[in-house]
């Protein structure tokens, strides 16, 4: 598939200046050697220059440098600043690899880039520490872990700040410590260091350009998270909304009546901009084959190909996939173009099984709205007929009737790279429009994560993930992206209600609050089919999201009202992610972000208010204070986000 070599490999053609790194080592220098060998590979020829610096005349690292033909400098610590100052501009990165001195701030600042306000926005010093920080800081970290009988330990790569072993963490990798001798533990830690440090350095030297497709609150949240990555060069946005377009550079996306041609144009533009990775938010582009088109252009993609997007796009495709592979899902019947007798006969089938009428689902995608939960069999008959007559256009000309399930509903979002499946903690979505889970089905009116689950449920969820992984492997589902399992935890086990092949909205807004691992790093590993190489770390916070929508949603939301008091979010420590908004030039009204334009309502779901905290409930209080303060005509929102609903049989 990959037509294009990676940017690193491509460098000679585009005449990028070689990158230069200075490695600091005081003694043995085994990390120095691993890094040097990595960049002496052919792929990096003329692209990376390495030099060694040591404060110890007798460091064995010097012998290694001689052997590897790498320039080295012996610089006594007192002379370090004077040595570095005139050369500082030459280096792209300073790598500490067993350097036994604490660097003063004036040296750390030599590598830094500051913004207009004096805030440090780029730090060029990195270090590797042989423990999972904040555990076992300082010297002899492996021995410390060993003596403490730690279950596991590992390595941390982090930026260097004035305070020892406290800078922003870039990545961590763990290894089991229990049962190992000290020598065995040292060996396994060094093995991890030598593998991961060069890779992280490569990612920091050759940063990535990312194109994010989509203009909802989910994409706003994704954009914000991607901007935190030290591996990001430029963020490009296709179809952003006016509430977050300032976060990146907008790429023109001319929409015509021919989606394939549009995506082709976009992919060619992306190639010209040296975009390395496309991340797709919404489902429609996936159904229309955007992934396949970008991959053919040699651009990596996070998002299912057309074939596998059908797990979301066609309920019957999903049902067949599940039944074939022993994944539990509600018993179902498919109806197309049929007589009233046939509808009755099918409903009788469900009546014979239980007294609960089946759920009616349009086969095709209907923006999360093509599902009806009838209370009586008469209602079921009436609605099925309406669906088949085209209530949701082509999408409902084929209908799936399925047994109604009862239990706790959770959204399980997973990364899939064709080989490895890794999941977020389960999230709760509030799909119905009104409090107490009443009213119409919507895209989602709020969310929280993680959902508290019992030990048995946890075990069952793990079994479900194994079953899903086995099924995907068996079916050779060779795509890289997201699988969102809409699950019902019933007394008979985990049942799948639906698959989505993308991040959920508003689940993403809360799940990203819990994720401590760099999102771009996860994406890159997924795209390279190397998800097995990283660990996802989640913090212990509780995150909530409340959606402000506009009256008339989901059918015909009111548009045009000016949104006011957005600064309330800052006061209460909440984040705002914009969805259906549009900026309108109108200096007469209240403005946002010192802009001369005002944001106005331009869609059903207007914005998400998000906060996370260790205490949980305090976050929810702040969100509701913000929700009350923000004003626009026709504002509606649910007041019961965070409340647990478990449907009982
Ligand atoms: P879907 O779009 O398939 O997720 O359906 C929308 C919502 O309808 C789900 O989130 C559930 O709350 C509900 N639902 C769908 N299928 C079932 C089912 N078989 N039993 C009970 N509720 C269901
Ligand atoms: N929150 C449900 C969805 O994203 O489809």
């Amino acid at each position: 598939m990959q037509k294009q070599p990676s940017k690193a490999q491509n460098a000679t053609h585009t005449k990028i200046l070689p990158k230069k790194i200075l490695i600091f080592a005081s003694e043995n220098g085994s990390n120095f050697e691993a890094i040097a060998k990595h960049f002496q590979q052919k792929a990096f020829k003329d692209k990376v220059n390495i030099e060694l610096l040591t404060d110890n005349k007798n460091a064995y690292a010097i012998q290694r440098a001689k052997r590897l033909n790498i320039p080295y400098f012996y610089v006594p610590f007192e002379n370090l600043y004077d040595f570095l100052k005139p050369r500082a501009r030459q280096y792209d990165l300073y790598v500490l690899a067993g350097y036994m001195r604490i660097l003063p701030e004036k040296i750390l600042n030599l590598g830094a880039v500051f913004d207009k306000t004096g805030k440090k926005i780029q730090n060029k010093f990195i270090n590797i520490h042989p423990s999972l920080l904040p555990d076992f800081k300082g010297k002899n970290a492996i021995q410390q872990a060993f003596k403490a009988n730690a279950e596991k330990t590992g390595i941390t790569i982090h930026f260097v700040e004035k305070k020892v072993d406290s800078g922003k963490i870039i990545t961590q990798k763990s290894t089991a410590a229990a049962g190992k001798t000290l020598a065995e533990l040292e060996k396994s830690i060094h093995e991890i260091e030598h593998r991961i440090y060069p890779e992280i350095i490569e990612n920091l030297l050759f940063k990535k350009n990312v194109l994010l497709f989509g203009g909802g609150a989910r994409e706003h949240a994704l954009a914000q998270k991607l901007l935190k990555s030290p591996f990001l060069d430029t963020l490009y946005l296709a179809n952003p909304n006016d509430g977050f377009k300032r976060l990146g550079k907008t790429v023109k996306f001319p929409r015509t009546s021919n989606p394939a041609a549009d995506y082709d144009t976009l992919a060619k533009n992306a190639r010209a901009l040296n975009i390395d990775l496309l991340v797709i938010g919404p489902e429609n582009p996936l159904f229309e084959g955007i992934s396949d088109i970008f991959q053919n252009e040699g651009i990596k993609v996070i998002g299912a190909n057309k074939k596998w997007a059908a797990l979301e796009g066609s309920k019957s495709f999903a049902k067949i996939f599940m039944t074939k592979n022993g994944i539990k899902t509600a018993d179902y019947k498919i109806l197309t173009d049929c007589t009233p007798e046939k509808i009755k006969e099918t409903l009788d089938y469900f009546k014979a099984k239980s007294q609960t009428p089946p759920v009616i689902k349009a086969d095709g995608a209907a923006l999360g709205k093509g599902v009806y939960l009838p209370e009586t069999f008469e209602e079921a008959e009436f609605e099925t007929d309406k669906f088949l007559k085209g209530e949701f256009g082509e999408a409902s000309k084929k209908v799936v009737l399925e047994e109604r399930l009862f239990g706790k509903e959770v959204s399980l979002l997973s990364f899939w790279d064709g080989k490895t499946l890794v999941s977020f903690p389960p999230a709760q979505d509030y799909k119905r429009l009104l409090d107490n889970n009443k009213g119409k089905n919507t895209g989602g009116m709020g969310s929280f994560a993680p959902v508290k689950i019992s030990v048995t449920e946890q075990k069952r969820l793990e079994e479900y993930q194994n079953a899903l992984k086995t099924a995907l492997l068996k079916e050779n589902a060779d795509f890289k992206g997201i699988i969102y399992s809409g699950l019902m935890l019933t007394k008979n086990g985990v049942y799948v209600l639906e698959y989505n092949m993308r991040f959920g909205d508003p689940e993403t807004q809360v799940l990203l609050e819990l994720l401590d691992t760099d999102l771009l790093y996860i994406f890159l590993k997924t795209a390279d089919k190397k998800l097995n190489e990283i660990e996802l770390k989640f913090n212990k916070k509780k995150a909530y999201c409340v959606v402000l929508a506009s009256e008339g949603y989901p059918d015909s939301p009111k548009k045009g009202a000016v949104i006011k008091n957005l600064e309330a979010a800052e006061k209460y420590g909440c984040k705002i992610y914009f969805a259906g908004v549009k900026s309108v030039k109108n200096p007469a009204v209240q403005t946002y972000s010192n802009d001369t334009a005002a944001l106005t309502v331009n869609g059903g779901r207007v914005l998400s208010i998000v906060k996370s905290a260790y205490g949980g409930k305090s976050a929810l209080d702040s969100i509701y204070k913000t929700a009350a303060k923000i004003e626009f005509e026709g504002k509606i929102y649910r007041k019961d986000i965070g409340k647990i609903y478990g449907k009982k049989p």
Side-chain angles (χ1 to χ4, degrees):
M1 273 288 174
Q2 291 309 107
K3 273 194 207 156
Q4 278 298 302
S6 77
K7 248 211 293 194
Q9 290 158 349
N10 205 15
T12 39
H13 307 298
T14 46
K15 283 214 180 115
I16 296 170
L17 279 177
K19 306 280 181 188
K20 196 162 174 183
I21 57 184
L22 185 61
I23 304 179
F24 292 56
S26 296
E27 280 160 15
N28 184 304
S30 73
N31 268 310
F32 156 66
E33 176 157 345
I35 298 161
K37 283 187 167 156
H38 180 78
F39 291 107
Q40 284 184 340
Q41 294 177 89
K42 243 201 185 137
F44 298 101
K45 194 170 171 339
D46 302 325
K47 282 158 208 125
V48 180
N49 291 334
I50 293 181
E51 292 173 357
L52 173 73
L53 183 146
T54 183
D55 59 338
N56 172 7
K57 231 186 283 188
N58 302 314
Y60 184 65
I62 294 179
Q63 304 309 314
R64 296 185 196 257
K66 285 181 181 163
R67 186 156 29 85
L68 293 162
N69 227 343
I70 285 181
Y72 64 92
F73 307 97
Y74 160 61
V75 184
F77 188 65
E78 322 67 271
N79 301 343
L80 186 58
Y81 180 77
D82 292 334
F83 173 83
L84 283 179
K85 189 157 192 308
R87 312 167 61 96
R89 282 172 179 276
Q90 294 178 24
Y91 297 107
D92 295 282
L93 198 64
Y94 300 96
V95 175
L96 307 190
Y99 189 69
M100 295 308 185
R101 295 297 195 135
I102 293 164
L103 296 175
E105 198 157 23
K106 74 172 181 181
I107 289 187
L108 295 175
N109 284 349
L110 281 176
V113 178
F114 298 87
D115 72 5
K116 276 181 264 168
T117 67
K119 203 177 115 203
K120 199 188 276 189
I121 48 173
Q122 201 186 352
N123 177 343
K124 286 193 187 164
F125 280 86
I126 63 169
N127 183 38
I128 193 161
H129 185 81
S131 80
L132 298 172
L133 290 173
D135 295 345
F136 310 120
K137 289 185 179 183
K139 286 202 174 134
N140 302 326
I142 307 178
Q143 274 115 307
Q144 286 185 51
F146 180 76
K147 280 198 193 133
N149 283 321
E151 272 292 306
K152 62 175 192 174
T153 181
I155 65 112
T156 303
I157 298 173
H158 63 95
F159 287 105
V160 183
E161 296 290 350
K162 204 166 51 174
K163 240 169 107 198
V164 180
D165 298 334
S166 305
K168 182 184 148 140
I169 290 174
I170 303 170
T171 195
Q172 293 189 306
K173 176 89 181 168
S174 65
T175 182
K180 283 188 180 139
T181 64
L182 179 59
E184 282 165 349
L185 191 57
E186 282 174 336
K187 188 166 173 256
S188 72
I189 296 263
H190 292 144
E191 186 271 326
I192 299 173
E193 287 185 339
H194 299 166
R195 189 158 39 86
I196 303 205
Y197 212 9
E199 183 200 306
I200 292 295
I201 293 167
E202 183 183 333
N203 279 320
L204 290 171
L205 291 177
F206 301 99
K207 297 188 189 221
K208 301 292 186 283
N209 294 326
V210 178
L211 173 61
L212 174 64
F213 190 108
R218 162 186 55 204
E219 288 79 14
H220 188 170
L222 287 166
Q224 203 98 67
K225 196 78 172 177
L226 285 169
L227 285 170
K228 295 213 167 99
S229 174
F231 306 144
L232 181 74
D233 186 333
T234 305
L235 179 66
Y236 291 93
L237 302 168
N239 274 356
N241 68 54
D242 288 347
F244 77 91
K245 66 179 182 204
R246 72 199 147 84
L247 296 184
K249 291 186 179 165
T250 301
V251 178
K252 272 214 192 104
F253 181 60
R255 190 77 204 178
T256 70
S257 56
N258 183 350
D262 295 344
Y263 297 135
D264 203 50
T265 310
L266 187 64
K268 295 218 157 65
N269 286 343
R271 266 287 299 282
L273 291 165
N274 273 324
I275 283 167
D276 300 280
L277 180 78
L278 168 72
V279 179
I280 303 139
E283 61 273 26
N284 274 330
L286 300 173
F287 302 154
E288 291 163 349
I290 191 173
S291 286
D292 310 70
I293 292 168
F294 269 68
Q295 275 186 324
N296 280 334
E297 271 308 318
I299 298 171
K300 293 174 184 175
V301 168
I302 296 298
N305 56 17
K306 193 171 183 170
K307 176 175 170 194
W308 284 97
L311 269 186
E312 172 169 1
S314 161
K315 303 252 183 218
S316 52
F317 179 85
K319 280 290 193 188
I320 293 164
F321 168 82
M322 291 183 264
T323 5
K324 215 164 71 180
N325 289 293
I327 292 173
K328 286 187 198 141
T329 184
D331 187 16
Y332 70 102
K333 296 278 175 200
I334 295 173
L335 292 178
T336 33
D337 191 22
C338 65
T339 59
E341 289 70 36
K342 177 79 185 162
I343 296 178
K344 246 199 173 100
E345 190 190 311
T346 312
L347 287 171
D348 282 344
Y349 167 84
F350 287 100
K351 210 180 244 168
K353 288 193 74 169
S354 82
Q355 278 314 300
T356 323
V359 180
I360 308 162
K361 298 185 174 186
D363 183 64
L367 291 171
K369 296 167 204 158
V371 173
Y372 194 90
L373 303 159
E375 295 301 327
T376 64
F377 277 91
E378 290 69 41
E379 201 184 343
E381 195 176 331
F382 180 75
E383 289 295 332
T384 306
D385 184 56
K386 250 173 62 183
F387 267 55
L388 285 168
K389 285 188 175 134
E391 165 140 29
F392 295 98
E394 282 306 310
S396 72
K397 294 259 168 88
K398 193 181 201 177
V399 165
V400 176
L401 291 185
E402 69 172 43
E403 193 184 357
R404 183 144 176 188
L405 300 170
F406 297 92
K408 194 193 286 178
E409 206 181 321
V410 301
S411 308
L412 185 72
L413 273 71
S414 315
F415 296 95
W416 169 252
D417 69 349
K419 191 171 75 177
T420 305
L421 186 83
V422 189
S423 303
F424 282 92
Q428 174 77 60
D429 179 18
Y430 292 78
K431 285 210 169 79
R432 302 291 200 95
L433 183 67
L434 306 172
D435 285 11
N436 298 313
N437 285 342
K438 297 273 190 290
K440 295 203 165 169
N441 255 316
T442 70
M445 294 297 291
S447 58
F448 75 82
V451 176
K452 239 201 208 140
I453 49 171
S454 67
V455 176
T456 312
E457 286 169 333
Q458 177 61 31
K459 209 174 122 244
R460 286 174 167 178
L461 271 180
E462 278 160 24
E463 282 163 14
Y464 162 69
Q465 287 169 73
N466 285 333
L468 174 61
K469 181 180 160 180
T470 307
L472 291 165
L473 284 174
K474 196 172 130 232
E475 304 256 343
N476 196 18
D478 198 14
F479 68 89
K480 288 114 177 86
I482 309 299
I483 305 180
Y484 162 143
S485 309
L487 301 174
M488 191 74 98
L489 311 183
T490 77
K491 59 180 194 301
N492 301 320
V494 173
Y495 278 69
V496 176
L497 296 180
E498 63 162 346
Y499 283 118
N500 293 319
M501 301 308 281
R502 51 172 172 82
F503 282 103
D505 186 347
E507 289 93 332
T508 304
Q509 288 88 309
V510 288
L511 290 173
L512 293 181
E513 289 288 308
L514 308 183
L515 180 67
D516 280 348
T517 309
D518 186 281
L519 182 64
L520 180 51
Y521 192 41
I522 302 172
F523 283 161
L524 294 172
K525 286 290 182 186
T526 305
D528 289 340
K529 211 173 180 171
K530 289 181 179 168
L531 247 184
N532 61 318
E533 291 181 7
I534 54 168
E535 288 155 30
L536 266 55
K537 286 199 70 178
F538 299 101
N539 59 47
K540 297 268 183 305
K541 291 186 202 168
K542 261 198 140 218
Y544 294 90
C545 168
V546 171
V547 171
L548 300 192
S550 183
E551 208 177 298
Y553 177 66
D555 298 327
S556 48
K558 258 195 185 162
K559 294 183 185 177
V562 174
I563 308 167
K564 296 179 195 165
N565 298 342
L566 284 161
E567 62 285 351
E570 207 172 310
K571 178 168 168 203
Y572 295 112
C574 297
K575 291 177 185 156
I576 293 213
Y577 296 125
F578 290 107
V581 298
K582 191 174 166 183
S583 82
V584 171
K585 283 243 176 281
N586 183 359
V589 297
Q590 176 129 7
T591 60
Y592 177 57
S593 289
N594 300 324
D595 215 331
T596 50
L599 278 181
T600 61
V601 172
N602 192 44
R605 289 194 289 180
V606 178
L607 56 88
S608 290
I609 308 174
V610 175
K611 190 170 178 177
S612 59
Y614 287 101
K617 286 283 178 243
S618 67
L620 200 52
D621 290 345
S622 308
I623 289 177
Y624 274 119
K625 281 182 185 147
T626 307
K629 273 269 180 231
I630 293 178
E631 264 182 62
F632 57 86
E633 211 187 298
K635 172 181 80 174
I636 53 170
Y637 60 99
R638 277 181 68 158
K639 311 284 193 310
D640 63 343
I641 302 304
K643 192 166 161 193
I644 312 289
Y645 295 97
K647 296 172 208 156
K648 288 264 155 16

